[in-house]
Structures are given as C-alpha cells and as structure tokens.
Amino acid sequence: MDRLEAMKVFVTALDEGSLAGAGRRLGRSPAAVSRAIAFLEQHVGAELLHRTTRTIKLSEAGERYAVACRRVLVELEEADLSAAGERAAPRGVLTITAPPISGEEILRPIITAYLDAFPGVSVNLLLLDRHANLVEEGIDIALRVAELPDSAMVAVRVGGDVKRVVAASPRYLAAHPRIVEPADLTKHSIVTTTHMGQDTWVFPPSPGSSIARSVHFKPRFLVNSVRAALGAAVDGHGVTRLYTYHVAERVQDGSLKLLLRDAEPAVLPVNLVMPQGRLTVPKVRTFVDFAAPRLKAEFARLSAEAGTMNS
C-alpha cells in the first residue's frame, strides 16, 4: 500500500471523527480504511488510534504522527501547486476557522460569494471560540480578532477598529445608578461571556496613572454565547462587555447604549492568518484576495456604526 495514500486516509479519519466517515468521504469501504490505518501502524510500530464501535481517539504516538502527516501532505500539495504555477485553477476543500459571530454574520456571506466565483472550491467553515492550531488541525485560514503573538504564521490585516465596549439597555440604565468610571460597575448586575472575563474586566489606566484598572465582580449572568449575553443586555438584565461589531446594530437601533467611552482599551487588529507557504496554494491565495477588501469594508462599517452613537 502507498504510504502517502494511507496518510491521507488517516488524516481524513481524524477530520471526520470516524473510520466510517473517512470511508464515505473518500469513497472507500470501511475495510479499506481499516487496512490503511493498520498499514501505517505496522510501518511505525505503534498503535495510532484507539478504536471503538463508533469513535476513534488518537494515541500518544498517534498525536505526534498526525502532526507530521498533515505537514507532509500540505508540503506535497504546495510542491505540486508551485510546479503548476499560475496555470493551477483553485480547487479542493478550503478549511477556514472563525469566531462564531464574525464567522456567521460577516465572513459567511463573503464565503458564499467566493463559492459563486470559484466553483472548483468547497469550503469547510469551523466556528470556534478558541484559537485552533492551524497545522495540527488541518486548517488553511483563520479569521482572528486579537493581537497576534510572534509565530511562523502569515497574517493579512483586514481590520483594525474593533474595540471591547461596555453597553447596557436604556431601560436598565434608567433604573440603576449612573456609570461614570469603571469602578461604578461593582454596583451593577454584570452579564459576561467566558472569553471576555468571568469575574474581572480590565480597563486602561486613568489619566495620570500607569496602573490598569481591574474591576472584579460576581456575574449575575455568565454564558459562553455572545448572542445570549447580547440578548440578556438588550432585555435589561445588566451591563455587558462585547466587541463593537457584536453590538453595532443594537446601538444603531437604540436597544443598547455604550458606556465608559473614555475608558475603552486600544483597538484590536483583525487578521486572516495562515501557516507559512499556504498563500502559494491557489484556493488560499484567491480566497484571501477575494475576502480581504470585503472584510475591511464590513469591519469598518460596523465599527463606524458603533462608534458614532452615544459619543
């Protein structure tokens, strides 16, 4: 059996979560998929997968081998496409990850427009509230709203006006004490999400100080969903902290009012992030060229909508 083909079967089984899923995606019988995995295990001399009737789980050796397999397959694809040069038409499956809200509401329409323009490409969009390991998880592109650590990744800037903002409904504010400075939040019901701070929000130093202001609280409502936190705040159940693009439409229609405008942290960059070398792949290069200007325009619009209200 060809080892590269067996590697493709192995990686596909991991992506699909089962041997049967790999068989369906590759058009192979379950027996053929099992033989490919067994061939690799015999070759490396170690068990790669713990199998049950319905699921698979990587062994410790399998985790290391999976990273190496993905790297080998990506480098092979890049070598083929580099040799083909500009004649290579975009094709294959493009795997993209993004945070849930920006992925659904901002990136998804751009993806569907891209699919119309490039019929040879299919897209697998993973909406994740975490930073995936692009190489280990076989992801081509990530949309990230954050300062990027130094890494071997390539980043294409598509926005730079996203802020963390504090907001509450006019109905809530009318019935509770005024919020003039961050410390006033301790007197209020807090609606927070797990990734914005479960019991603490940090603000820049006050004028003349170099010490960041940390506000500690016991949340009235803690949830791992931006939509749920946004809905609770709109319904008047407390003060929340989200990104500008999360609240823009609600600020525009008057459902929310932005607070503490002079205590907002610095803006966060928005980037399309890729492993080194992926921009040479036509499906990746064409998507970045297609999506970048559209993302820039959309993030700028949403930031302007949030920023021009309640100033």
Side-chain angles (χ1 to χ4, degrees), residues 216-241:
H216 304 283
F217 52 81
K218 183 177 180 181
R220 188 73 191 277
F221 183 35
L222 171 65
V223 63
N224 66 343
S225 162
V226 167
R227 292 188 194 279
L230 183 64
V234 168
D235 290 343
H237 295 296
V239 182
T240 194
R241 192 184 206 188

Side-chain angles (χ1 to χ4, degrees), residues 101-102 104-110 143 158-162 244-246 248-249 270 291-306:
I101 299 297
S102 58
E104 288 180 30
E105 299 184 0
I106 301 174
L107 189 58
R108 195 278 308 159
I110 294 172
L143 176 67
V158 295
D161 297 321
V162 173
T244 42
Y245 64 86
H246 292 150
E249 291 185 2
V270 186
R294 291 165 173 81
L295 286 168
K296 287 178 182 178
E298 188 63 7
F299 276 109
R301 180 186 70 80
L302 291 169
S303 294
E305 284 186 1

Side-chain angles (χ1 to χ4, degrees), residues 255-278:
S255 301
L256 290 177
K257 182 177 177 63
L258 297 184
L259 310 167
L260 301 173
R261 302 307 310 272
D262 59 352
E264 291 172 354
V267 296
L268 291 168
V270 186
N271 290 281
L272 290 174
V273 181
M274 295 140 279
Q276 286 281 359
R278 295 306 281 163

Side-chain angles (χ1 to χ4, degrees), residues 78-163:
E78 289 172 355
D80 290 344
L81 293 169
S82 177
E86 293 300 320
R87 293 172 299 152
R91 57 181 172 78
V93 178
L94 180 66
T95 302
I96 305 171
T97 183
I101 299 297
S102 58
E104 288 180 30
E105 299 184 0
I106 301 174
L107 189 58
R108 195 278 308 159
I110 294 172
I111 289 174
T112 53
Y114 172 82
L115 292 174
D116 288 340
F118 295 91
V121 181
S122 300
V123 171
N124 180 17
L125 176 61
L126 306 174
L127 301 176
L128 304 174
D129 250 332
R130 62 179 176 84
H131 282 186
N133 186 307
L134 304 190
V135 175
E136 292 185 7
E137 298 182 49
I139 296 171
D140 296 300
I141 304 172
L143 176 67
R144 289 190 173 160
V145 182
E147 292 290 350
L148 298 176
D150 292 335
S151 72
M153 297 290 147
V154 174
V156 176
R157 187 77 166 260
V158 295
D161 297 321
V162 173
K163 286 186 177 181

